[in-house]
């Protein structure tokens, strides 16, 4: 049992390190692509129209999500899906009639997911509206420091 526990721990650590390394490489790639696209944007058509605060907000939020939330959620999702599939397989093998209860459960889950997705999308929209204003104010204040000091 000790050997099995140590082996499970070692494989779990290896999987986590490998997964986080891949997430780090993906984040670096996305950062490079975003920065390249931003630097190639034309000045009159983009930078004169879009406030600096909005650009910084979007860039920072997207990278923050890529670096912190996405790897964790993806790893948890993969673990949950594998647990769900193995549980359904065990149920099908041990007690096949219980599979009939899965259908109503899936229906309730889908309805709850649709409700959550709509609510989450609305909250993200509200955050996207309020966050750039704060960054714009801070940027304008920093750009106007010489005027404020005078």
């Amino acid at each position: 049992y000790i050997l099995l526990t140590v082996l499970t721990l070692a494989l779990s650590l290896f999987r986590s390190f490998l997964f986080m390394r891949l997430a780090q490489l993906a984040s670096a790639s996305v950062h490079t692509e975003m920065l390249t696209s931003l630097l190639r944007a034309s000045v009159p058509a983009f930078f004169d129209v879009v406030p600096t605060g909005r650009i910084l907000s979007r860039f920072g939020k997207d990278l923050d999500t890529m670096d912190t939330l996405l790897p964790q959620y993806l790893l948890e999702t993969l673990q949950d899906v594998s647990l769900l599939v193995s549980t359904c397989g065990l149920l099908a093998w041990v007690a096949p009639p219980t599979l009939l209860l899965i259908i109503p459960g899936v229906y309730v889950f889908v309805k709850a997911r649709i409700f959550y997705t709509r609510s989450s999308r609305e909250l993200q929209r509200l955050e996207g509206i309020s966050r750039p204003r704060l960054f714009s104010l801070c940027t304008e204040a920093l750009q106007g420091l010489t005027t404020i000091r005078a």
Side-chain angles (χ1 to χ4, degrees):
Y1 288 115
I2 292 174
L3 181 63
L4 188 60
T5 303
V6 169
L7 183 63
T8 302
L9 179 66
L11 287 174
S12 218
L13 283 172
F14 175 73
R15 181 204 58 200
S16 295
F17 284 128
L18 180 66
F19 193 80
M20 292 310 277
R21 178 67 180 147
L22 291 174
Q24 181 184 18
L25 291 173
S27 178
S29 174
V30 168
H31 177 269
T32 303
E33 290 289 324
M34 285 174 61
L35 187 60
T36 302
S37 297
L38 188 65
L39 293 176
R40 287 186 182 160
S42 66
V43 173
F46 184 71
F47 289 105
D48 289 343
V49 177
V50 180
T52 309
R54 186 176 297 160
I55 295 170
L56 289 173
S57 170
R58 184 61 188 248
F59 200 83
K61 182 161 179 7
D62 288 351
L63 287 178
D64 182 49
T65 300
M66 277 291 295
D67 291 341
T68 57
L69 299 177
L70 196 60
Q72 178 185 355
Y73 289 160
L74 189 57
L75 186 61
E76 287 179 11
T77 300
L78 291 174
Q79 288 175 343
D80 292 345
V81 166
S82 65
L83 182 66
L84 182 66
V85 168
S86 62
T87 301
C88 288
L90 186 64
L91 274 174
W93 182 48
V94 173
T98 58
L99 291 177
L100 295 175
L101 296 175
I102 291 178
I103 296 169
V106 168
Y107 176 77
V108 169
F109 174 76
V110 168
K111 287 294 188 182
R113 184 179 179 277
I114 290 170
F115 175 75
Y116 169 76
T117 303
R118 288 181 185 158
S119 303
S120 176
R121 191 174 296 134
E122 184 66 19
L123 284 173
Q124 287 175 351
R125 185 186 69 77
L126 291 173
E127 181 186 9
I129 290 170
S130 63
R131 191 176 232 205
R133 291 182 188 157
L134 178 65
F135 278 119
S136 291
L137 287 174
C138 290
T139 303
E140 289 171 9
L142 288 175
Q143 289 173 350
L145 274 179
T146 56
T147 306
I148 293 172
R149 289 181 184 159

